[in-house]
Amino acid sequence: MGRRADLLDATNRCARALSSSLEIKQAFAAFIRELRGLVPFDRTAILLVEDGHLRVFATAGEAAETVFPPGSVNPIAGSVMTEVLAGQAIYREDMNERRFAEEDDFVALGLRSRVLAPLLTGPETIGALSLVRREPAGFSSDEIELLSLLGRLAGSAVQNIRAYEAERTTAEELRRLSALRADFVSLVSHELRSPMASVIGSARTLQLRWRELTPEQRESFLALIAHETSRLAALIGDVLDTSRIEAGTFSYSFEDVDLAELVRDSTAAAERTQDEVPVRAVVREPLPRMRGDRDRLHQLLINLIDNAVKYSKPGEEVLVEAQSANGRLVIEVCDRGPGIPPQHQKVIFEKFGRIQTGETAKPGTGLGLFIARSIAEAHGGSLTVRSHPEQDGATFTLTLPPGVD
């Protein structure tokens, strides 16, 4: 009875160690120190059931950072967890007699016996405590009983740490979005201020010096006003479109669309607005028609081409290539700009995402690619980017569903 009391006290110390901090690294380190004195092991892990999968919450011991490392996610089907979910400890005396998918990896490390004790919060099994030893049949019945008790005691502590992690992740994401929104407001204010200053300055000059200016100078000021007001209209349009996408009120009107004609028209329109970067369309016929919103698809292509032109050097060609491949319509927009680092290739499609390439930031709101991807997805398609650090340029690939004829 005295020995069982000592073991029960040691089990409680393990559970309390896991409750000593809401930071997983600190709590798990304290837990490991107590656990080694209670039930020696060659490898241990805490596994959690999340969204129908098994996530490695924490691990220590043999190959902890290489085989099923912390954060890795694996399917429950085929694993020993299918039996642990019933709420009972599972003892594998010798994993050489393979029964579950993960056992090959353990045997390859020279680990033979394994105990999994369910982590319980009330009647619910939220995961398992796993201990592994090199020796076959390495655990006694008393040790298995202790681990089962520890699983019941530690379940609540693990749940608290998981809840804290989820809350912290949510808080960090909210802070990130808040910072992006602040940057966005600052950026939009700057983008509005610049064309408005040009419009006001040009209009004031025309008002005060109309008689002094030559006809060519007047035309130049009027052209500048037209250009800057177009910029303002485009900026406001992007902001409104983003708001409509978020609210689910971004409207579409589907009809049969000649995609080959649309690609040529969009390329010609993009080339007419500037004369420094040549834009060339290559349409590989036959290109079937498709169901879509022609105006929205035109907006998508213009956003992609304008983005490619913005980051291209004068004289460097932007290529727009359209073809039918594997029953899908594929349009690629290729530029020879500075490229996009791998860590930023997801950011550029985010609502407030914007990166700096080269020595100076390019003007713009950073909303164009977010709107473009939203339009692509509304048509049942996708928009991706491909860019390699060792090569200049980026390729945006728009993939759309099969045509209608």
Side-chain angles (χ1 to χ4, degrees):
M1 288 181 64
R3 181 175 178 277
R4 286 189 66 84
D6 290 341
L7 290 174
L8 182 59
D9 180 62
T11 305
N12 278 318
R13 286 201 307 273
C14 282
R16 286 197 302 271
L18 200 54
S19 305
S20 62
S21 173
L22 290 175
E23 294 286 347
I24 179 59
K25 289 185 177 180
Q26 296 178 15
F28 193 59
F31 174 73
I32 291 300
R33 287 193 295 270
E34 295 290 344
L35 184 62
R36 286 191 187 279
L38 180 65
V39 183
F41 59 85
D42 292 300
R43 177 187 169 100
T44 187
I46 294 176
L47 313 173
L48 294 179
V49 176
E50 293 180 351
D51 300 324
H53 290 81
L54 200 60
R55 179 166 74 96
V56 180
F57 193 56
T59 185
E62 188 72 30
E65 299 299 324
T66 55
V67 177
F68 306 122
S72 58
V73 177
N74 302 284
I76 292 177
S79 76
V80 68
M81 199 66 197
T82 55
E83 296 189 7
V84 179
L85 285 174
Q88 298 295 321
I90 301 299
Y91 178 30
R92 296 286 293 127
E93 290 191 357
D94 193 346
M95 290 185 288
N96 264 349
E97 302 171 4
R98 184 182 181 278
R99 280 181 55 198
F100 302 103
E102 70 272 25
E103 292 182 347
D104 281 344
D105 294 281
F106 290 127
V107 171
L109 294 173
L111 304 171
R112 299 285 293 276
S113 56
R114 187 185 188 199
V115 174
L116 288 102
L119 293 172
L120 302 173
T121 56
E124 182 186 4
T125 301
I126 64 167
L129 172 63
S130 169
L131 270 77
V132 190
R133 285 178 178 166
R134 294 188 177 279
E135 304 82 9
F139 293 88
S140 67
S141 58
D142 286 343
E143 288 175 324
I144 297 171
E145 183 180 356
L146 280 171
L147 292 173
S148 299
L149 175 60
L150 183 56
R152 290 193 291 271
L153 294 174
S156 296
V158 172
Q159 185 77 320
N160 289 339
I161 295 172
R162 179 164 65 170
Y164 171 74
E165 276 199 333
E167 290 292 333
R168 184 174 61 180
T169 300
T170 301
E172 289 174 351
E173 179 65 13
L174 289 174
R175 281 195 295 270
R176 188 182 73 88
L177 289 175
S178 178
L180 284 173
R181 286 190 180 96
D183 291 344
F184 173 73
V185 170
S186 174
L187 176 66
V188 169
S189 299
H190 173 75
E191 291 293 323
L192 285 170
R193 191 180 299 114
S194 178
M196 285 178 66
S198 296
V199 169
I200 293 170
S202 298
R204 182 64 59 85
T205 301
L206 288 172
Q207 182 184 32
L208 298 177
R209 302 180 57 192
W210 178 269
R211 296 181 184 279
E212 302 173 24
L213 298 173
T214 65
E216 291 78 11
Q217 289 172 327
R218 294 171 190 166
E219 287 296 328
S220 176
F221 278 113
L222 290 171
L224 178 61
I225 290 172
H227 175 73
E228 295 300 333
T229 50
S230 296
R231 278 184 60 195
L232 282 170
L235 170 61
I236 294 169
D238 282 350
V239 173
L240 290 175
D241 284 345
T242 300
S243 298
R244 294 187 187 109
I245 290 169
E246 287 185 299
T249 58
F250 197 56
S251 60
Y252 295 89
S253 179
F254 285 81
E255 59 183 346
D256 288 357
V257 177
D258 185 340
L259 202 61
E261 179 187 30
L262 180 62
V263 169
R264 294 189 181 101
D265 288 349
S266 301
T267 303
E271 194 164 34
R272 282 195 300 270
T273 60
Q274 52 83 41
D275 56 8
E276 292 187 343
V277 177
V279 183
R280 181 166 62 97
V282 175
V283 178
R284 304 194 182 281
E285 305 282 5
L287 202 62
R289 299 170 69 89
M290 65 164 290
R291 292 288 295 174
D293 186 318
R294 192 184 192 283
D295 291 338
R296 295 301 188 199
L297 289 171
H298 176 75
Q299 180 182 5
L300 187 165
L301 290 175
I302 288 295
N303 283 357
L304 291 181
I305 297 170
D306 284 351
N307 187 73
V309 168
K310 182 193 301 183
Y311 288 98
S312 295
K313 297 177 181 178
E316 292 281 3
E317 183 182 75
V318 169
L319 176 65
V320 183
E321 186 174 2
Q323 61 182 318
S324 179
N326 299 320
R328 307 279 287 179
L329 298 169
V330 180
I331 301 173
E332 292 188 337
V333 179
C334 309
D335 65 65
R336 299 292 295 171
I340 304 166
Q343 67 271 22
H344 293 151
Q345 290 178 14
K346 289 185 179 179
V347 175
I348 59 173
F349 292 109
E350 291 184 0
K351 186 165 44 191
F352 301 112
R354 192 165 176 268
I355 64 170
Q356 178 174 326
T357 57
E359 296 180 357
T360 58
K362 297 289 184 178
T365 61
L367 294 176
L369 292 178
F370 168 75
I371 294 170
R373 173 172 275 188
S374 298
I375 294 172
E377 291 174 348
H379 284 78
S382 63
L383 179 61
T384 58
V385 65
R386 186 173 68 254
S387 182
H388 300 288
E390 64 273 9
Q391 300 175 356
D392 288 338
T395 298
F396 286 85
T397 302
L398 169 65
T399 305
L400 294 168
V404 296
D405 54 32

